[in-house]
Amino acid sequence: MTTDRAPVGVPFRFARWLLVRSAGALFVLWAVATLTFFAIRLIPGDPAEAILGGPGSQASDEALAAVRAEYGLDQPLAVQYLAALGRLATGDLGTSYSLRTSVSTLLAEQLPGTMLLAALSLSVAWMLALALATWSTRGGRVPAAVGAGLEVVAAALPHFWIAIVLILVFSTGLGWFPPISTAGPAGLVLPVVTLALPLAGFLGSIMRESLLDALEAPFALSARARGESELGVRLVHALRHAALPAIGLSGWAFGFLISGAVVVETIFARPGLGRTLLTAVTARDIPLVIGVVLVVAAAYIVLTVLTDAASRLADPRLRAA
């Protein structure tokens, strides 16, 4: 009986897990769209003026009334909200007020640049965090103190300050990299380092504590008793367990990088979702703001599911559960 039911139970549990995840994703997207819709309305100004070019356009009252009627801005706020949800439910993100272009087209153009920037920054942050955690736990008070200090300082540094210092040193002073993001690989170096440093400090602190615990765990003591070298214990056994908390936080790290991209893409004049979002908020471009936020939220959900799967692959205890 047990062997007959086991294969049936696994697909059922997976289907239930997938259903719960899907329902949670839909709820998050609805909440994000709702909060964004009402938050952008709290910004002072008339959306009709934004459609006609902003307050400086000096649009007539007749033109403003025509625009409000065309876009449904003369309807009650609740009616506008339901209409916006209806369009989003069909996959229609609308047309940008300020750029007069489909929001889907704009997002398709800006998304790859930001995803590349976030992926490279996350990879660099992981490498720096692993290197710092491994070096600071090799023994001795000096490496531990220096490693802890570097982690705290790096995690506390704001992105705009890092960007300014990097531009002054490596662009203005040494001339190694361009001050603005260009199409080549050299234009990615300073933006990637700017985003990666604070995240590396945070991940490094978590990895260092987990690595210290793993090195004193029973499986590490057993490996040493079998004659395995200290380097082998670290690389084969301890580092995998030390990386588990950081893997679980990679979804949060992605959101951290996207929020930082708003500052970094603006400073380095790099096209992307962050810079597009800042411009859209300034122009009260409601469809574009909602579109950018929804895409970021969807990417965050997908990455969270992937990190959950990666944690299960790396931790046998989660696979057994």
Side-chain angles (χ1 to χ4, degrees), residues 67-105:
V67 167
R68 293 190 186 100
E70 179 182 356
Y71 287 88
L73 298 175
D74 55 347
Q75 300 293 326
L77 190 59
V79 175
Q80 297 180 41
Y81 167 69
L82 293 176
L85 282 187
R87 290 192 299 269
L88 292 176
T90 61
D92 181 13
L93 298 178
T95 303
S96 169
Y97 290 167
S98 57
L99 301 177
R100 303 292 194 277
T101 307
S102 170
V103 172
S104 299
T105 302

mmCIF file of all heavy atoms in Angstrom, residues 67-105:
data_model
loop_
_atom_site.group_PDB
_atom_site.id
_atom_site.type_symbol
_atom_site.label_atom_id
_atom_site.label_comp_id
_atom_site.label_asym_id
_atom_site.label_seq_id
_atom_site.Cartn_x
_atom_site.Cartn_y
_atom_site.Cartn_z
ATOM 1 N N VAL A 67 -8.833 65.436 -23.337
ATOM 2 C CA VAL A 67 -7.918 64.368 -22.934
ATOM 3 C C VAL A 67 -8.503 63.561 -21.780
ATOM 4 O O VAL A 67 -8.410 62.330 -21.755
ATOM 5 C CB VAL A 67 -6.546 64.964 -22.559
ATOM 6 C CG1 VAL A 67 -5.690 63.932 -21.839
ATOM 7 C CG2 VAL A 67 -5.834 65.456 -23.792
ATOM 8 N N ARG A 68 -9.119 64.251 -20.831
ATOM 9 C CA ARG A 68 -9.726 63.526 -19.705
ATOM 10 C C ARG A 68 -10.824 62.587 -20.192
ATOM 11 O O ARG A 68 -10.953 61.462 -19.696
ATOM 12 C CB ARG A 68 -10.288 64.522 -18.695
ATOM 13 C CG ARG A 68 -9.236 65.358 -17.976
ATOM 14 C CD ARG A 68 -9.847 66.147 -16.832
ATOM 15 N NE ARG A 68 -8.878 67.050 -16.232
ATOM 16 C CZ ARG A 68 -8.794 68.350 -16.481
ATOM 17 N NH1 ARG A 68 -9.678 68.911 -17.313
ATOM 18 N NH2 ARG A 68 -7.876 69.091 -15.909
ATOM 19 N N ALA A 69 -11.608 63.038 -21.155
ATOM 20 C CA ALA A 69 -12.666 62.186 -21.684
ATOM 21 C C ALA A 69 -12.085 61.011 -22.471
ATOM 22 O O ALA A 69 -12.596 59.886 -22.401
ATOM 23 C CB ALA A 69 -13.601 63.010 -22.568
ATOM 24 N N GLU A 70 -11.003 61.254 -23.227
ATOM 25 C CA GLU A 70 -10.413 60.194 -24.049
ATOM 26 C C GLU A 70 -9.800 59.088 -23.194
ATOM 27 O O GLU A 70 -9.948 57.898 -23.504
ATOM 28 C CB GLU A 70 -9.344 60.793 -24.963
ATOM 29 C CG GLU A 70 -8.650 59.765 -25.836
ATOM 30 C CD GLU A 70 -7.562 60.387 -26.703
ATOM 31 O OE1 GLU A 70 -7.410 61.632 -26.665
ATOM 32 O OE2 GLU A 70 -6.866 59.625 -27.399
ATOM 33 N N TYR A 71 -9.125 59.478 -22.119
ATOM 34 C CA TYR A 71 -8.440 58.505 -21.271
ATOM 35 C C TYR A 71 -9.268 58.079 -20.058
ATOM 36 O O TYR A 71 -8.774 57.327 -19.214
ATOM 37 C CB TYR A 71 -7.103 59.068 -20.792
ATOM 38 C CG TYR A 71 -6.048 59.124 -21.866
ATOM 39 C CD1 TYR A 71 -5.936 60.230 -22.692
ATOM 40 C CD2 TYR A 71 -5.173 58.065 -22.063
ATOM 41 C CE1 TYR A 71 -4.959 60.298 -23.686
ATOM 42 C CE2 TYR A 71 -4.200 58.116 -23.053
ATOM 43 C CZ TYR A 71 -4.104 59.228 -23.865
ATOM 44 O OH TYR A 71 -3.139 59.288 -24.845
ATOM 45 N N GLY A 72 -10.491 58.550 -19.946
ATOM 46 C CA GLY A 72 -11.341 58.175 -18.826
ATOM 47 C C GLY A 72 -10.969 58.834 -17.521
ATOM 48 O O GLY A 72 -11.385 58.373 -16.445
ATOM 49 N N LEU A 73 -10.215 59.915 -17.568
ATOM 50 C CA LEU A 73 -9.791 60.590 -16.341
ATOM 51 C C LEU A 73 -10.901 61.440 -15.731
ATOM 52 O O LEU A 73 -10.733 61.943 -14.609
ATOM 53 C CB LEU A 73 -8.571 61.481 -16.639
ATOM 54 C CG LEU A 73 -7.323 60.734 -17.126
ATOM 55 C CD1 LEU A 73 -6.229 61.717 -17.501
ATOM 56 C CD2 LEU A 73 -6.833 59.759 -16.067
ATOM 57 N N ASP A 74 -12.004 61.606 -16.457
ATOM 58 C CA ASP A 74 -13.138 62.342 -15.901
ATOM 59 C C ASP A 74 -14.069 61.422 -15.117
ATOM 60 O O ASP A 74 -15.055 61.892 -14.528
ATOM 61 C CB ASP A 74 -13.912 63.041 -17.021
ATOM 62 C CG ASP A 74 -14.361 62.065 -18.116
ATOM 63 O OD1 ASP A 74 -13.863 60.911 -18.127
ATOM 64 O OD2 ASP A 74 -15.191 62.453 -18.955
ATOM 65 N N GLN A 75 -13.771 60.138 -15.086
ATOM 66 C CA GLN A 75 -14.573 59.178 -14.335
ATOM 67 C C GLN A 75 -14.134 59.162 -12.873
ATOM 68 O O GLN A 75 -13.028 59.591 -12.532
ATOM 69 C CB GLN A 75 -14.414 57.781 -14.939
ATOM 70 C CG GLN A 75 -14.845 57.673 -16.383
ATOM 71 C CD GLN A 75 -16.350 57.862 -16.546
ATOM 72 O OE1 GLN A 75 -17.134 57.471 -15.678
ATOM 73 N NE2 GLN A 75 -16.745 58.485 -17.650
ATOM 74 N N PRO A 76 -15.008 58.670 -11.971
ATOM 75 C CA PRO A 76 -14.587 58.507 -10.572
ATOM 76 C C PRO A 76 -13.353 57.618 -10.454
ATOM 77 O O PRO A 76 -13.108 56.767 -11.307
ATOM 78 C CB PRO A 76 -15.823 57.875 -9.903
ATOM 79 C CG PRO A 76 -16.969 58.263 -10.780
ATOM 80 C CD PRO A 76 -16.424 58.319 -12.177
ATOM 81 N N LEU A 77 -12.603 57.821 -9.386
ATOM 82 C CA LEU A 77 -11.347 57.104 -9.219
ATOM 83 C C LEU A 77 -11.564 55.588 -9.173
ATOM 84 O O LEU A 77 -10.754 54.819 -9.708
ATOM 85 C CB LEU A 77 -10.648 57.580 -7.946
ATOM 86 C CG LEU A 77 -9.198 57.104 -7.745
ATOM 87 C CD1 LEU A 77 -8.320 57.560 -8.897
ATOM 88 C CD2 LEU A 77 -8.652 57.614 -6.415
ATOM 89 N N ALA A 78 -12.651 55.161 -8.537
ATOM 90 C CA ALA A 78 -12.929 53.724 -8.466
ATOM 91 C C ALA A 78 -13.176 53.141 -9.852
ATOM 92 O O ALA A 78 -12.729 52.024 -10.161
ATOM 93 C CB ALA A 78 -14.135 53.473 -7.557
ATOM 94 N N VAL A 79 -13.862 53.886 -10.713
ATOM 95 C CA VAL A 79 -14.112 53.418 -12.077
ATOM 96 C C VAL A 79 -12.800 53.336 -12.856
ATOM 97 O O VAL A 79 -12.556 52.381 -13.609
ATOM 98 C CB VAL A 79 -15.114 54.355 -12.776
ATOM 99 C CG1 VAL A 79 -15.301 53.952 -14.237
ATOM 100 C CG2 VAL A 79 -16.448 54.344 -12.048
ATOM 101 N N GLN A 80 -11.926 54.329 -12.689
ATOM 102 C CA GLN A 80 -10.621 54.299 -13.355
ATOM 103 C C GLN A 80 -9.793 53.097 -12.884
ATOM 104 O O GLN A 80 -9.111 52.450 -13.687
ATOM 105 C CB GLN A 80 -9.863 55.591 -13.073
ATOM 106 C CG GLN A 80 -10.531 56.842 -13.604
ATOM 107 C CD GLN A 80 -9.732 58.089 -13.286
ATOM 108 O OE1 GLN A 80 -8.503 58.104 -13.380
ATOM 109 N NE2 GLN A 80 -10.411 59.169 -12.907
ATOM 110 N N TYR A 81 -9.875 52.818 -11.600
ATOM 111 C CA TYR A 81 -9.112 51.689 -11.048
ATOM 112 C C TYR A 81 -9.596 50.367 -11.619
ATOM 113 O O TYR A 81 -8.793 49.524 -12.042
ATOM 114 C CB TYR A 81 -9.236 51.707 -9.524
ATOM 115 C CG TYR A 81 -8.764 50.451 -8.849
ATOM 116 C CD1 TYR A 81 -7.411 50.113 -8.829
ATOM 117 C CD2 TYR A 81 -9.667 49.586 -8.227
ATOM 118 C CE1 TYR A 81 -6.977 48.953 -8.220
ATOM 119 C CE2 TYR A 81 -9.239 48.433 -7.608
ATOM 120 C CZ TYR A 81 -7.896 48.120 -7.602
ATOM 121 O OH TYR A 81 -7.475 46.967 -6.997
ATOM 122 N N LEU A 82 -10.901 50.168 -11.665
ATOM 123 C CA LEU A 82 -11.447 48.921 -12.210
ATOM 124 C C LEU A 82 -11.137 48.788 -13.693
ATOM 125 O O LEU A 82 -10.848 47.684 -14.183
ATOM 126 C CB LEU A 82 -12.958 48.861 -11.966
ATOM 127 C CG LEU A 82 -13.397 48.749 -10.497
ATOM 128 C CD1 LEU A 82 -14.917 48.790 -10.391
ATOM 129 C CD2 LEU A 82 -12.848 47.474 -9.874
ATOM 130 N N ALA A 83 -11.194 49.900 -14.424
ATOM 131 C CA ALA A 83 -10.853 49.847 -15.845
ATOM 132 C C ALA A 83 -9.382 49.477 -16.041
ATOM 133 O O ALA A 83 -9.035 48.701 -16.943
ATOM 134 C CB ALA A 83 -11.164 51.195 -16.497
ATOM 135 N N ALA A 84 -8.512 50.026 -15.198
ATOM 136 C CA ALA A 84 -7.090 49.694 -15.296
ATOM 137 C C ALA A 84 -6.852 48.228 -14.982
ATOM 138 O O ALA A 84 -6.066 47.551 -15.668
ATOM 139 C CB ALA A 84 -6.285 50.584 -14.353
ATOM 140 N N LEU A 85 -7.527 47.702 -13.954
ATOM 141 C CA LEU A 85 -7.385 46.277 -13.637
ATOM 142 C C LEU A 85 -7.891 45.401 -14.772
ATOM 143 O O LEU A 85 -7.302 44.352 -15.076
ATOM 144 C CB LEU A 85 -8.142 45.955 -12.349
ATOM 145 C CG LEU A 85 -7.497 46.330 -11.018
ATOM 146 C CD1 LEU A 85 -8.322 45.786 -9.872
ATOM 147 C CD2 LEU A 85 -6.062 45.813 -10.933
ATOM 148 N N GLY A 86 -8.970 45.814 -15.406
ATOM 149 C CA GLY A 86 -9.501 45.042 -16.522
ATOM 150 C C GLY A 86 -8.520 44.965 -17.677
ATOM 151 O O GLY A 86 -8.333 43.913 -18.293
ATOM 152 N N ARG A 87 -7.861 46.086 -17.976
ATOM 153 C CA ARG A 87 -6.866 46.077 -19.047
ATOM 154 C C ARG A 87 -5.669 45.202 -18.676
ATOM 155 O O ARG A 87 -5.162 44.449 -19.515
ATOM 156 C CB ARG A 87 -6.404 47.497 -19.348
ATOM 157 C CG ARG A 87 -7.458 48.368 -20.016
ATOM 158 C CD ARG A 87 -6.843 49.647 -20.538
ATOM 159 N NE ARG A 87 -6.263 50.446 -19.459
ATOM 160 C CZ ARG A 87 -6.924 51.381 -18.789
ATOM 161 N NH1 ARG A 87 -8.196 51.641 -19.088
ATOM 162 N NH2 ARG A 87 -6.333 52.071 -17.833
ATOM 163 N N LEU A 88 -5.229 45.297 -17.429
ATOM 164 C CA LEU A 88 -4.090 44.491 -17.003
ATOM 165 C C LEU A 88 -4.417 43.000 -17.038
ATOM 166 O O LEU A 88 -3.551 42.175 -17.341
ATOM 167 C CB LEU A 88 -3.661 44.899 -15.588
ATOM 168 C CG LEU A 88 -3.052 46.298 -15.447
ATOM 169 C CD1 LEU A 88 -2.767 46.602 -13.975
ATOM 170 C CD2 LEU A 88 -1.780 46.421 -16.264
ATOM 171 N N ALA A 89 -5.660 42.648 -16.710
ATOM 172 C CA ALA A 89 -6.055 41.239 -16.715
ATOM 173 C C ALA A 89 -5.989 40.635 -18.113
ATOM 174 O O ALA A 89 -5.776 39.429 -18.265
ATOM 175 C CB ALA A 89 -7.459 41.087 -16.140
ATOM 176 N N THR A 90 -6.153 41.464 -19.133
ATOM 177 C CA THR A 90 -6.067 40.980 -20.516
ATOM 178 C C THR A 90 -4.660 41.113 -21.089
ATOM 179 O O THR A 90 -4.441 40.827 -22.269
ATOM 180 C CB THR A 90 -7.053 41.760 -21.402
ATOM 181 O OG1 THR A 90 -6.719 43.160 -21.380
ATOM 182 C CG2 THR A 90 -8.476 41.567 -20.909
ATOM 183 N N GLY A 91 -3.714 41.572 -20.279
ATOM 184 C CA GLY A 91 -2.347 41.732 -20.750
ATOM 185 C C GLY A 91 -2.065 43.047 -21.433
ATOM 186 O O GLY A 91 -0.984 43.226 -22.002
ATOM 187 N N ASP A 92 -3.009 43.981 -21.375
ATOM 188 C CA ASP A 92 -2.835 45.288 -22.014
ATOM 189 C C ASP A 92 -2.262 46.263 -20.991
ATOM 190 O O ASP A 92 -2.946 46.669 -20.052
ATOM 191 C CB ASP A 92 -4.180 45.793 -22.543
ATOM 192 C CG ASP A 92 -4.064 47.135 -23.249
ATOM 193 O OD1 ASP A 92 -2.918 47.557 -23.539
ATOM 194 O OD2 ASP A 92 -5.110 47.763 -23.506
ATOM 195 N N LEU A 93 -1.012 46.641 -21.165
ATOM 196 C CA LEU A 93 -0.377 47.591 -20.256
ATOM 197 C C LEU A 93 -0.631 49.039 -20.649
ATOM 198 O O LEU A 93 -0.199 49.950 -19.926
ATOM 199 C CB LEU A 93 1.135 47.334 -20.200
ATOM 200 C CG LEU A 93 1.560 45.959 -19.665
ATOM 201 C CD1 LEU A 93 3.075 45.815 -19.715
ATOM 202 C CD2 LEU A 93 1.052 45.759 -18.242
ATOM 203 N N GLY A 94 -1.308 49.261 -21.754
ATOM 204 C CA GLY A 94 -1.663 50.612 -22.144
ATOM 205 C C GLY A 94 -0.561 51.303 -22.939
ATOM 206 O O GLY A 94 0.423 50.706 -23.364
ATOM 207 N N THR A 95 -0.752 52.622 -23.091
ATOM 208 C CA THR A 95 0.168 53.466 -23.850
ATOM 209 C C THR A 95 0.755 54.516 -22.928
ATOM 210 O O THR A 95 0.053 55.113 -22.115
ATOM 211 C CB THR A 95 -0.555 54.143 -25.026
ATOM 212 O OG1 THR A 95 -1.137 53.138 -25.862
ATOM 213 C CG2 THR A 95 0.406 54.986 -25.852
ATOM 214 N N SER A 96 2.042 54.750 -23.070
ATOM 215 C CA SER A 96 2.716 55.740 -22.244
ATOM 216 C C SER A 96 2.167 57.130 -22.534
ATOM 217 O O SER A 96 2.038 57.528 -23.702
ATOM 218 C CB SER A 96 4.226 55.702 -22.519
ATOM 219 O OG SER A 96 4.877 56.801 -21.936
ATOM 220 N N TYR A 97 1.837 57.882 -21.473
ATOM 221 C CA TYR A 97 1.339 59.239 -21.639
ATOM 222 C C TYR A 97 2.390 60.149 -22.270
ATOM 223 O O TYR A 97 2.095 60.925 -23.182
ATOM 224 C CB TYR A 97 0.939 59.831 -20.288
ATOM 225 C CG TYR A 97 -0.296 59.220 -19.666
ATOM 226 C CD1 TYR A 97 -0.625 59.468 -18.333
ATOM 227 C CD2 TYR A 97 -1.141 58.394 -20.404
ATOM 228 C CE1 TYR A 97 -1.745 58.918 -17.746
ATOM 229 C CE2 TYR A 97 -2.260 57.839 -19.817
ATOM 230 C CZ TYR A 97 -2.562 58.094 -18.488
ATOM 231 O OH TYR A 97 -3.676 57.558 -17.913
ATOM 232 N N SER A 98 3.605 60.073 -21.775
ATOM 233 C CA SER A 98 4.639 61.021 -22.179
ATOM 234 C C SER A 98 5.346 60.639 -23.472
ATOM 235 O O SER A 98 5.765 61.514 -24.233
ATOM 236 C CB SER A 98 5.680 61.167 -21.062
ATOM 237 O OG SER A 98 6.243 59.897 -20.741
ATOM 238 N N LEU A 99 5.485 59.332 -23.743
ATOM 239 C CA LEU A 99 6.246 58.880 -24.914
ATOM 240 C C LEU A 99 5.357 58.445 -26.070
ATOM 241 O O LEU A 99 5.883 58.170 -27.163
ATOM 242 C CB LEU A 99 7.174 57.726 -24.516
ATOM 243 C CG LEU A 99 8.195 58.061 -23.424
ATOM 244 C CD1 LEU A 99 9.006 56.826 -23.052
ATOM 245 C CD2 LEU A 99 9.123 59.183 -23.879
ATOM 246 N N ARG A 100 4.046 58.350 -25.844
ATOM 247 C CA ARG A 100 3.092 57.984 -26.891
ATOM 248 C C ARG A 100 3.451 56.647 -27.558
ATOM 249 O O ARG A 100 3.318 56.470 -28.754
ATOM 250 C CB ARG A 100 3.026 59.075 -27.980
ATOM 251 C CG ARG A 100 2.662 60.451 -27.481
ATOM 252 C CD ARG A 100 1.216 60.496 -27.001
ATOM 253 N NE ARG A 100 0.735 61.840 -26.832
ATOM 254 C CZ ARG A 100 0.941 62.595 -25.765
ATOM 255 N NH1 ARG A 100 1.636 62.095 -24.745
ATOM 256 N NH2 ARG A 100 0.459 63.812 -25.685
ATOM 257 N N THR A 101 3.946 55.736 -26.764
ATOM 258 C CA THR A 101 4.366 54.429 -27.263
ATOM 259 C C THR A 101 3.786 53.354 -26.358
ATOM 260 O O THR A 101 3.546 53.599 -25.167
ATOM 261 C CB THR A 101 5.904 54.320 -27.289
ATOM 262 O OG1 THR A 101 6.440 55.433 -28.003
ATOM 263 C CG2 THR A 101 6.357 53.040 -27.960
ATOM 264 N N SER A 102 3.560 52.185 -26.919
ATOM 265 C CA SER A 102 3.055 51.074 -26.127
ATOM 266 C C SER A 102 3.997 50.782 -24.966
ATOM 267 O O SER A 102 5.217 50.711 -25.144
ATOM 268 C CB SER A 102 2.897 49.834 -27.004
ATOM 269 O OG SER A 102 2.634 48.694 -26.230
ATOM 270 N N VAL A 103 3.421 50.608 -23.776
ATOM 271 C CA VAL A 103 4.233 50.308 -22.599
ATOM 272 C C VAL A 103 4.946 48.981 -22.772
ATOM 273 O O VAL A 103 6.113 48.826 -22.372
ATOM 274 C CB VAL A 103 3.350 50.302 -21.341
ATOM 275 C CG1 VAL A 103 4.131 49.810 -20.127
ATOM 276 C CG2 VAL A 103 2.798 51.687 -21.071
ATOM 277 N N SER A 104 4.303 48.010 -23.382
ATOM 278 C CA SER A 104 4.939 46.711 -23.615
ATOM 279 C C SER A 104 6.182 46.854 -24.487
ATOM 280 O O SER A 104 7.213 46.212 -24.230
ATOM 281 C CB SER A 104 3.941 45.753 -24.269
ATOM 282 O OG SER A 104 2.814 45.543 -23.437
ATOM 283 N N THR A 105 6.101 47.706 -25.507
ATOM 284 C CA THR A 105 7.260 47.933 -26.374
ATOM 285 C C THR A 105 8.393 48.589 -25.609
ATOM 286 O O THR A 105 9.567 48.203 -25.743
ATOM 287 C CB THR A 105 6.857 48.809 -27.572
ATOM 288 O OG1 THR A 105 5.806 48.165 -28.290
ATOM 289 C CG2 THR A 105 8.033 49.028 -28.499
#
